[in-house]
Amino acid sequence: MVKHILFDFDGTLVDSRALLVKLYNEMAAQYQFRMIRDQDLALLRSLSISERVNRLGVPVLQIPKLVVAGRQMYQDNIRALHIVPGMKEVIARISAQGIRSSILSSNSEGNIRTFLKNNRMDGAFKEIISAKHLFGKHHSIRKVMKQWGTPPSKMIYVGDELRDIEACQKLGVPIIAVTWGYDSPRLLLSGKPDYLVNSPNELMRTLLALT
């Protein structure tokens, strides 16, 4: 039985795709990367994050600098963001069941806490954990497991990207992949997640069955 749930933030809990495309295009204009057009979105959702970086011509060595700049731009626009419809109810139901839930995200803790406060969800999560490794989220998950003293079988991760699936598989942590985030359902299925859900209601049913 699962005792602790780790939620990803952008894409899974927060509908931030449009904002992140806008912020990326602002940086692309400044650094002369390829910009994202509306007609590019479906293809980009079908690619892994490393494949997207290659297709857009973003130098890997510049990614850390861009992430820092992007987080500041994100913070400046955070009031425009909204929680994915239905996810607030999922979190409330899980909390009512006495299940511990936390956020693990490559976004900054400050941005996440500001969003939660703006949406009156300040006390919804036990912890906000900022993952430092964009391409190695398993390092952050392993650190969390060690801090909690929790075996993989007692945890579950809820995420929306192939890299979330790959990180969990390296550690034996079960994962529920949601289809309304950044990666397409086909890309998610290619990673063979333990569960694939298409709506917050389906996610709630899956979580309640596991806890």
Side-chain angles (χ1 to χ4, degrees), residues 1-3 5 99 153-156 174-176 194-195 203-211:
M1 183 176 291
V2 171
K3 299 294 185 183
I5 303 168
I99 306 301
S153 61
K154 299 297 182 182
M155 296 172 54
I156 195 158
I175 179 167
I176 302 174
D194 298 278
Y195 308 90
L203 172 62
M204 184 186 296
R205 291 194 299 270
T206 303
L207 287 173
L208 291 177
L210 293 169
T211 56

Side-chain angles (χ1 to χ4, degrees), residues 42-78:
L43 174 60
L44 291 173
R45 286 193 75 207
S46 72
L47 302 177
S48 69
I49 189 167
S50 58
E51 290 170 335
R52 289 175 203 165
V53 167
N54 288 336
R55 184 170 184 84
L56 294 170
V58 178
V60 174
L61 292 178
Q62 290 198 37
I63 289 177
K65 177 180 70 175
L66 297 173
V67 168
V68 172
R71 283 177 175 173
Q72 181 59 53
M73 295 165 70
Y74 188 108
Q75 182 177 351
D76 295 340
N77 291 268
I78 205 164

